[in-house]
Amino acid sequence: MSINLSKDLENRINLSKKEASIVIDKIGLNNQKAQVILALDISGSMSGLLQNGKVQRAIERILPLALNFDDDGSVELFPYHHGAFEHSNPITLNNIEDFVKNEILPKYQLGATSYEPVINLIRKKIGKDIQKSHSISSKSSGGFLGFGKKIEKEFGSENKTTSANQPTYVLFLTDGDNGDHAKTEDALREASNEEIFWQFVGIGNAGFGFLEKLDNLSGRYIDNASFFQVNDLDSISDNDLYSRLLNEFPQWIKLAKNKNIIK
C-alpha cells in the first residue's frame, strides 16, 4: 500500500480493509460496486470528538469500505452543521493521515445541527434536481367531512427514475439531535426512490429518538435508511463495525434492483 503513510496507519488500514472484505463477502456483496460518501456532523457538540482524534480514527476505518466498494477507493466528504458543504478533497490513501487536523479543523466553523441541507446537497451531487423533485405526492383518505383524515404519500410512475449504474452509500455520522425534523423527513421520503442508501450512525450517549424514527419512517417508496447507536466507535471491533454498517444494505440493494432503481 505505502502511499506516504506511517507504518502503523498502513497496518491498521490493511487490517481494516481485510475485515471489511470478510464482512462484505459474508453478506454476499463481494462483487458490488458503490460510491461511498461520508456526511460528517461538524456542529459545536462535535468539537471534542474532532479534537481528540476519535473522528480521525473513525475516518480511518471508513476508508476501507471505499477501498472494497469504490473503483477509485475514495470517500467523498460532506461536512454539515446548520448548513452543508461539499469538501473539495475526497478522503483517499494520499491524504488520510491527519485528515481532520489538515482538512477539517482549519477550514470549517462549528455550528448548530440540521440534517436536511446535507441530505439534499448529496442528492444534488448525484444529479437530482431538488427544485423540481416531485417524487412523492400527497392524497387524503378517510375522515368524516375531512375530519380525522390522514395524509398518504404515493409515488407516481411519471416520477420513476432511470436505473442508476451503481448505488451510493452514505454514512451519516452525528452525535445528537437536529433542529429540522419535518424538513429532514420530507427529504428522506423524496430520496426513497433514488439510488442512495442512508446509514445513520449516532455516536455518544445522547438520545437518538429522531434517528430511530427515520429508520422506520412511513411514506417512503422503499426503506432507504438504517440506524444504529454506539457510545464509542473505538470500543467495537472492525468486524462488528462493518457488520453494523452493512446490516441492511444487502436488503436495500435487492429491493432497489427489484424496483429498477439500480441495475
Side-chain angles (χ1 to χ4, degrees), residues 56-256:
Q56 173 65 34
R57 290 191 292 277
I59 289 174
E60 291 168 3
R61 299 171 79 186
I62 292 164
L63 180 61
L65 273 182
L67 295 175
N68 278 280
F69 276 136
D70 204 325
D71 287 335
D72 63 3
S74 67
V75 176
E76 293 192 62
L77 176 65
F78 287 76
Y80 70 92
H81 42 49
H82 52 276
F85 313 91
E86 180 182 356
H87 192 69
S88 58
N89 301 318
I91 304 164
T92 69
L93 287 171
N94 289 311
N95 61 13
I96 183 66
E97 193 139 27
D98 293 325
F99 186 88
V100 171
K101 178 182 177 181
N102 296 330
E103 294 286 337
I104 296 177
L105 292 177
K107 297 182 179 181
Y108 297 98
Q109 298 292 320
L110 306 183
T113 311
S114 297
Y115 295 162
E116 179 270 339
V118 71
I119 289 174
N120 279 337
L121 183 59
I122 291 170
R123 294 175 64 207
K124 289 178 183 178
K125 171 65 178 180
I126 65 168
K128 305 304 174 185
D129 189 344
I130 307 303
Q131 299 302 318
K132 296 181 179 179
S133 176
H134 298 289
S135 57
I136 55 176
S137 58
S138 299
K139 67 175 182 178
S140 301
S141 64
F144 177 67
L145 297 178
F147 293 101
K149 68 182 179 181
K150 62 180 180 178
I151 302 298
E152 297 178 346
K153 301 292 184 180
E154 61 179 3
F155 288 76
S157 59
E158 70 277 6
N159 299 310
K160 190 172 183 179
T161 56
T162 304
S163 297
N165 290 325
Q166 69 176 17
T168 297
Y169 177 96
V170 177
L171 199 165
F172 199 105
L173 197 64
T174 182
D175 74 329
D177 201 3
N178 58 316
D180 62 338
H181 287 191
K183 289 183 177 180
T184 298
E185 290 178 21
D186 286 344
L188 196 62
R189 288 189 179 103
E190 290 175 1
S192 66
N193 67 344
E194 298 169 357
E195 64 270 27
I196 316 172
F197 181 79
W198 305 86
Q199 176 60 63
F200 294 97
V201 179
I203 53 175
N205 52 16
F208 292 101
F210 180 65
L211 290 182
E212 291 174 351
K213 179 180 180 180
L214 291 184
D215 192 7
N216 300 288
L217 188 65
S218 62
R220 288 176 292 170
Y221 186 60
I222 63 171
D223 181 352
N224 60 340
S226 179
F227 165 72
F228 72 86
Q229 176 184 357
V230 59
N231 288 345
D232 184 0
L233 285 173
D234 287 343
S235 68
I236 63 176
S237 68
D238 279 346
N239 189 279
D240 190 11
L241 175 62
Y242 298 132
S243 295
R244 294 193 196 189
L245 289 176
L246 300 174
N247 181 43
E248 294 188 26
F249 193 43
Q251 297 95 309
W252 177 84
I253 289 283
K254 182 178 180 180
L255 192 53

